[in-house]
Amino acid sequence: MPRAGTSANGRPRPATIRDVAERAGVSVATVSRILSGTYPSAPTTRGRVLRAVRELDYVANARARGLAGGQAKSVAIVVNSVISPHYAHVAQGVQDEAAREGRLCLVGTTGGDADRELATVQLMREEHAEAVILVGNIVVDDAYHERMAGYARALAAAGSQLVLCGRPPLGPDVPAIVVEYDNTAGAHAVTSHLLSAGHERILFLGRRAGYTTPDSRVAGYRAALAAYRVPHDPGLEVDGRMDRQEGYRMMRARLDEGPRDFTAVFACNDLIAAGARQALREQGLRIPDDISLAGFDDLPSAADIDLTTVHVPHEELGRTAVRLALHSETPGTVQHVMLGTHIVVRDSVRRRDVLSA
Amino acid sequence: MPRAGTSANGRPRPATIRDVAERAGVSVATVSRILSGTYPSAPTTRGRVLRAVRELDYVANARARGLAGGQAKSVAIVVNSVISPHYAHVAQGVQDEAAREGRLCLVGTTGGDADRELATVQLMREEHAEAVILVGNIVVDDAYHERMAGYARALAAAGSQLVLCGRPPLGPDVPAIVVEYDNTAGAHAVTSHLLSAGHERILFLGRRAGYTTPDSRVAGYRAALAAYRVPHDPGLEVDGRMDRQEGYRMMRARLDEGPRDFTAVFACNDLIAAGARQALREQGLRIPDDISLAGFDDLPSAADIDLTTVHVPHEELGRTAVRLALHSETPGTVQHVMLGTHIVVRDSVRRRDVLSA
DNA sequence: CTGTTAGCGCGTTCAC
DNA sequence: GTGAACGCGCTAACAG
């Protein structure tokens, strides 16, 4: 007869609810009820059961509970990488809200690879996560759309939820929750800020055609230029990925290329801004005295370098994703939330007339 | 009769192995065997089953599989916060290795709170994670030791593994795996580097009595001073937490306090170094021309500010933790691995004689 | 208030 | 090769 702590083959085995029941001299069902706490019970029985639980250091088997009861208590988040601050902050929001709701957090990373993403979503499906939250920037084409629609339908059919975080919606026929933030408005706002400070030649760092996030930010940039009736010079838009090295590279290359033909820089995100800033400083250019600089994201490090930037509610994004997913009245519905962004003015932008004065 | 996709109460329900069996006209056992792939089977049957799987978009229920079969395929990691770079990099290593081994990753955050840590470990125990990896800096006292020993024994009794990452071992009687890195040697190395460059008044930023990580680094710092027969001035050790704001605060306060009585700074980590650097530059002090600066961690951002620092193999730490936990011959054994650290020389330290010249 | 019974979805014996 | 039967640990009916 295997005892708690040892199975037939000698391998350690955790105590089960039956061990608790035996020790307390009650039935398994009673233990289950007392532990779930939703049923009335005699104080005596209750005490005996709780004591047995403590003595055996019993914890319920989540897998068995999930099988027997309803849904599992877990939320899945899928990101490119854990070490990118943008993702990390969203993930933190997901963690927070999941914990608040008593949910566990499953994390998967894709490295930006579509195959790994697919595999990860399948894995989360096997785990029966209540929701699968996909976060981040991505190329949107037909293949992507089809793939996401597939995820959404498969998850919905399994009573789960696909949540797209910081990605555009898929359409009315696809059951997914979308939690976005307003990239275009944010980019419009900073660009206007630069324009109203008298800057007309604004370098945009980090364009990347086909990727939703840079695309939307470029759009906001261009719209602001148009609103101010400032001619749009495509030569001021520099292609590059959204990390710090790229920011340095793009700025450095631009400075090496020839005479400086801009007075301000709008970096597609704070990482690029940080890299660009380093390149500028290395050339003896001061910010904001010689060059104005703005970013996007408002990561904590932005405050450290006094960067004027657009605040993205990263953690709120994660929290909202979880909240909507868990409290969705009718699972499998399409919902769309657009969170606001706002400009945070620090000290990296100067009026142009002050400069020329 | 509920079909796949719809249960009795109308709620969506994923396809089960039985649905696949029915559609393929075979028994559930056959489906199970074919999918596990370890059994011989008639090509015809095999084809029919695989087709049914595809048509139904079937994925096995991980919970049921875990219940029936052996272990679950998951590894748990518990950190203070996901947004701290140090933790994030270790987490990335855990993710990588877990994915390589076909394991899923459960993540819990504690915010540095012991109660939340306890709750999180219990949760991971319920999930039957193959290993629970606790990472990071912590106060080590008797209460801590007792708590960890409790975790270790409970996990071992359940056939799981406690892994301590970047924390000291608990003793020979406690079944835990410890994956450390050499804080003291690293601190000794940078301090020696500063000393051999002629610096004798080296400010240590980020002491925090009782916390293992700063304690070990202070120890290395002092040992190097002793080795160079440089008198140890406790007044050069400044207390503070390990983040950027603190680094700024400590440096700023020190500079405001009175005349500068040091020529070099050893920051307890790169975050502190970054903050201190900002404070120094604001006072017009150049690095390394006026002040030499060294850090600890070698985060990617250290390269951006040309910081001489100690390389910590963060991701290797995470990978090793997972590897040891999964391939431990005898679960519940005590193992101890100490990973090396090495100094990375960049451009934040200058010879003192050059300065005076 | 509590015990008994019947599954949850799957792997794994046994038989055929 | 394949099918029927049992059990993993637990919750949810249905009695009493």
Side-chain angles (χ1 to χ4, degrees):
Chain A
M1 187 69 185
R3 296 185 293 79
T6 318
S7 70
N9 57 26
R11 272 258 316 292
R13 202 212 55 182
T16 73
I17 197 173
R18 193 150 52 212
D19 299 323
V20 176
E22 278 176 18
R23 181 175 259 263
V26 296
S27 78
V28 198
T30 302
V31 177
S32 171
R33 287 192 275 249
I34 288 180
L35 290 184
S36 70
T38 46
Y39 273 74
S41 56
T44 324
T45 329
R46 200 180 139 72
R48 286 221 310 280
V49 167
L50 292 184
R51 198 157 65 85
V53 165
R54 224 175 319 112
E55 289 171 351
L56 262 41
D57 196 14
Y58 167 78
V59 289
N61 182 329
R63 295 198 297 253
R65 169 179 294 164
L67 238 199
Q71 294 287 344
K73 295 290 184 212
S74 61
V75 168
I77 176 170
V78 181
V79 295
N80 271 5
S81 130
V82 180
I83 52 187
S84 162
H86 178 96
Y87 296 132
H89 283 265
V90 176
Q92 182 72 37
V94 170
Q95 284 279 355
D96 284 353
E97 187 68 18
R100 259 176 41 80
E101 299 265 13
R103 261 69 168 191
L104 198 60
C105 214
L106 307 174
V107 177
T109 54
T110 65
D113 182 54
D115 288 341
R116 274 181 63 190
E117 182 182 81
L118 174 58
T120 306
V121 171
Q122 295 293 57
L123 217 56
M124 299 312 186
R125 216 139 75 76
E126 294 184 4
E127 294 293 329
H128 286 220
E130 290 171 89
V132 177
I133 303 174
L134 260 43
V135 22
N137 179 35
I138 204 78
V139 183
V140 171
D141 54 14
D142 287 353
Y144 164 82
H145 197 281
E146 208 172 313
R147 182 156 48 95
M148 289 301 135
Y151 294 166
R153 301 216 173 86
L155 288 169
S160 183
Q161 272 281 353
L162 177 66
V163 183
L164 266 28
C165 220
R167 298 186 181 187
L170 297 171
D173 54 329
V174 183
I177 294 176
V178 175
V179 183
E180 282 189 285
Y181 55 96
D182 203 335
N183 276 305
T184 306
H188 193 290
V190 251
T191 308
S192 300
H193 180 70
L194 291 168
L195 286 162
S196 68
H199 297 280
E200 301 207 327
R201 302 283 301 172
I202 305 172
L203 193 67
F204 183 95
L205 251 39
R207 186 179 62 179
R208 203 168 176 210
Y211 285 77
T212 54
T213 304
D215 275 355
S216 313
R217 295 182 188 174
V218 170
Y221 162 78
R222 291 180 189 166
L225 289 177
Y228 274 73
R229 306 201 186 286
V230 169
H232 170 237
D233 179 0
L236 285 175
E237 296 176 0
V238 183
D239 286 344
R241 289 193 315 279
M242 296 174 76
D243 60 55
R244 184 162 178 159
Q245 282 69 27
E246 284 281 285
Y248 180 84
R249 182 191 62 72
M250 289 186 280
M251 194 70 243
R252 184 62 185 270
R254 187 75 181 198
L255 292 174
D256 289 349
E257 245 168 35
R260 187 154 44 82
D261 58 346
F262 54 89
T263 63
V265 177
F266 173 25
C268 194
N269 70 3
D270 288 356
L271 260 36
I272 292 179
R277 177 173 178 272
Q278 189 189 345
L280 288 166
R281 294 176 74 133
E282 285 182 5
Q283 301 295 309
L285 293 166
R286 292 159 308 166
I287 295 165
D289 308 279
D290 300 318
I291 293 275
S292 288
L293 176 65
F296 206 115
D297 259 344
D298 195 28
L299 300 174
S301 58
D304 293 327
I305 59 173
D306 267 334
L307 183 68
T308 290
T309 187
V310 177
H311 180 76
V312 174
H314 295 105
E315 308 195 9
E316 181 62 24
L317 224 54
R319 283 195 296 268
T320 304
V322 173
R323 205 178 317 124
L324 287 181
L326 296 184
H327 301 309
S328 173
E329 298 301 319
T330 49
T333 315
V334 26
Q335 287 187 52
H336 188 191
V337 170
M338 173 81 82
L339 262 42
T341 54
H342 62 264
I343 186 170
V344 176
V345 176
R346 296 207 177 84
D347 195 33
S348 63
V349 174
R350 185 142 304 168
R351 288 199 61 77
R352 203 171 160 227
D353 43 26
V354 173
L355 293 183
S356 21
Chain B
M1 188 70 185
R3 297 185 292 76
T6 318
S7 70
N9 57 24
R11 272 257 316 291
R13 203 212 55 184
T16 73
I17 197 172
R18 193 150 52 212
D19 300 322
V20 176
E22 277 177 17
R23 180 175 261 263
V26 296
S27 76
V28 281
T30 303
V31 177
S32 171
R33 289 192 272 247
I34 288 180
L35 290 184
S36 70
T38 47
Y39 258 68
S41 56
T44 324
T45 328
R46 199 179 140 70
R48 286 222 310 280
V49 167
L50 292 184
R51 198 158 64 86
V53 165
R54 224 175 319 113
E55 289 172 350
L56 263 41
D57 197 13
Y58 167 77
V59 289
N61 182 328
R63 296 198 296 252
R65 168 179 293 164
L67 238 200
Q71 295 286 344
K73 295 289 184 211
S74 60
V75 168
I77 175 170
V78 181
V79 296
N80 271 4
S81 129
V82 180
I83 52 186
S84 162
H86 178 96
Y87 296 132
H89 283 265
V90 176
Q92 182 73 37
V94 170
Q95 283 280 353
D96 284 353
E97 188 67 18
R100 260 176 41 80
E101 300 265 13
R103 261 68 168 190
L104 199 59
C105 214
L106 307 174
V107 177
T109 54
T110 65
D113 181 55
D115 289 340
R116 275 181 63 190
E117 182 182 82
L118 174 58
T120 307
V121 171
Q122 295 294 56
L123 216 57
M124 299 311 185
R125 217 140 72 78
E126 294 184 2
E127 294 293 329
H128 285 221
E130 289 172 89
V132 177
I133 303 174
L134 260 43
V135 22
N137 180 36
I138 204 79
V139 183
V140 171
D141 53 15
D142 286 352
Y144 164 82
H145 197 281
E146 207 172 314
R147 182 156 50 95
M148 289 300 135
Y151 294 167
R153 300 215 174 85
L155 287 168
S160 184
Q161 272 282 352
L162 178 66
V163 183
L164 267 28
C165 219
R167 298 186 183 187
L170 297 171
D173 54 329
V174 183
I177 294 176
V178 176
V179 182
E180 281 189 286
Y181 55 96
D182 203 334
N183 276 304
T184 306
H188 193 289
V190 251
T191 308
S192 301
H193 180 70
L194 290 167
L195 287 162
S196 68
H199 298 279
E200 301 207 328
R201 302 283 300 172
I202 305 172
L203 192 68
F204 183 94
L205 251 39
R207 186 179 62 179
R208 203 167 176 209
Y211 285 77
T212 54
T213 305
D215 275 354
S216 314
R217 295 182 189 174
V218 170
Y221 163 77
R222 291 181 188 165
L225 290 177
Y228 274 72
R229 306 200 185 287
V230 169
H232 170 236
D233 178 358
L236 285 174
E237 296 177 358
V238 183
D239 286 343
R241 289 193 316 280
M242 295 173 77
D243 59 56
R244 186 166 175 155
Q245 282 69 27
E246 285 280 285
Y248 181 84
R249 182 190 63 71
M250 290 185 280
M251 195 71 242
R252 184 60 185 272
R254 187 74 181 197
L255 292 174
D256 290 348
E257 244 167 37
R260 187 152 47 81
D261 59 346
F262 53 90
T263 62
V265 176
F266 173 24
C268 193
N269 71 2
D270 288 357
L271 260 34
I272 292 179
R277 178 173 178 272
Q278 190 189 345
L280 287 166
R281 294 176 72 133
E282 285 182 5
Q283 301 296 310
L285 292 166
R286 291 160 310 165
I287 296 164
D289 308 279
D290 301 317
I291 294 274
S292 287
L293 176 65
F296 207 115
D297 258 345
D298 195 28
L299 300 174
S301 57
D304 293 328
I305 58 173
D306 268 335
L307 182 69
T308 290
T309 187
V310 178
H311 180 77
V312 174
H314 294 106
E315 308 196 10
E316 181 61 24
L317 224 52
R319 283 196 296 267
T320 304
V322 173
R323 205 179 317 123
L324 288 181
L326 296 185
H327 301 310
S328 172
E329 298 300 320
T330 49
T333 315
V334 27
Q335 288 187 54
H336 188 189
V337 170
M338 174 80 83
L339 262 41
T341 54
H342 62 265
I343 186 171
V344 176
V345 176
R346 296 208 178 84
D347 195 31
S348 63
V349 174
R350 185 142 306 168
R351 287 200 61 79
R352 201 165 164 233
D353 43 26
V354 172
L355 293 183
S356 22

